Amino acid sequence: MKIIRSIKEMSNFSQMMHIKGKTIGFVPTMGALHEGHLTLIRQVHKENDIVVVSIFVNPIQFGPKWLWLKEAKPRSSGLEDYRRYPRNLKLDAQLCEKAGADVIFCPEAQQMYPGSYKTYVNVSDLSDCLCGKFRPGHFKGVATVATKLFNIVNPDIAYFGQKDAQQAIIVKKTVGDLNIPVQIKVMPTIREKDGLAMSSRNAYLNKEERQDATVLYQALILAKNLIREGNINASDIIRKMRQLINKKKRAQIQYILIVDLKDLKPVDKIRDKVLVALSVWIGKTRLIDNIIT
Ligand code: AMP
């Protein structure tokens, strides 16, 4: 497995592979790899000749600071969150290699965003709701880095996790609108045995918080069951989810929304498939999860 740090070397490598007729599958990550990432990488290995994993903690998606909006407590600033984001390239490289990666692309932030950097990709509307409402500029950072990485790595297929549903929808919109020739595949959320969605941020949870964190998935299952039983009233379902989550004293809801899968607008009466998404602070850690039902 190769570790490539230079943008130019990454581009040249991809070009060579395409000349040789190889397909490239790509998994963009921020590192601190867990089973969720590794499942993606194994899948890419099955479906492509070459697997490229990027490990890049993208500074521009962390934003200056959390906004103090209604239920959002600014428990950490964007800068703090960026600085304390877990980084362990040595371990990540071992895990990547075992899962079938051929290349890790890990550029320095300075190379991706030199002092002269000016260009950003913004997907309007889709970036301003759900998590975007509480993290202004976050999805601009995501769409920008995804565009840059697609241009550098030039993959045939890029793989994203359903865990970050809004991100996947925004990236799909970006490549569609900007005619970027890459197929986007969204893979199911990988969970711990008790249902907690795997996330690099779970490492911040202490023992009690870890126990309380299962309430996110429990609330989603509650919503799924209510919808299955014929409840079509989104606000009633959200109210019941809130009641469940509020029983955990370390949990503080940032948002719970039931939205349309395409435009992410809140749904009043549930008649089609919907995205049930939530963001909850567990202590000082903000966790997100969702299901489509
Ligand atoms: P991140 O390193 O958090 O930026 O995640 C990199 C990719 O892995 C994104 O497409 C995520 O959606 C995906 N991912 C993260 N956690 C999970 C999970 N638990 N299940 C499936 N995909 C995941």
Side-chain angles (χ1 to χ4, degrees), residues 63-75:
K65 58 172 116 127
W66 299 97
L67 274 196
W68 189 288
L69 283 171
K70 221 168 154 209
E71 290 171 295
K73 287 266 164 80
R75 302 190 185 192

Side-chain angles (χ1 to χ4, degrees), residues 2-19 22-29 44 48-56 101-107 111-112 144-160 180-184:
K2 274 167 97 74
I3 297 188
I4 299 181
R5 294 171 195 277
S6 132
I7 291 176
K8 196 151 198 274
E9 193 185 339
M10 186 67 243
S11 291
N12 290 344
F13 176 88
S14 292
Q15 206 181 351
M16 283 301 290
M17 291 304 127
H18 284 311
I19 289 169
K22 308 271 191 207
T23 59
I24 299 176
F26 177 42
V27 185
T29 82
V44 185
N48 301 270
D49 298 324
I50 302 290
V51 180
V52 177
V53 178
S54 65
I55 296 182
F56 179 62
D102 298 289
V103 173
I104 292 182
F105 175 51
C106 50
Q111 212 192 137
M112 292 288 274
T144 301
V145 80
T147 304
K148 284 173 72 71
L149 289 169
F150 294 157
N151 285 333
I152 296 164
V153 176
N154 198 6
D156 296 278
I157 313 177
Y159 294 74
F160 288 82
I180 302 174
V182 57
Q183 186 191 336
I184 304 297

Side-chain angles (χ1 to χ4, degrees), residues 28-31 34 36-37 40 85 159-161 163-164 167 188-190 197-198:
T29 82
M30 298 207 298
H34 51 67
H37 300 112
L40 281 181
Y85 198 86
Y159 294 74
F160 288 82
K163 156 82 176 20
D164 300 283
Q167 167 172 281
T189 301
I190 308 297
M198 290 189 182

Side-chain angles (χ1 to χ4, degrees), residues 229-246:
E229 286 160 14
N231 191 335
I232 61 162
N233 188 333
S235 53
D236 182 54
I237 294 167
I238 291 171
R239 188 174 49 77
K240 289 179 169 134
M241 291 172 77
R242 281 182 176 279
Q243 279 171 357
L244 182 73
I245 294 172
N246 285 336

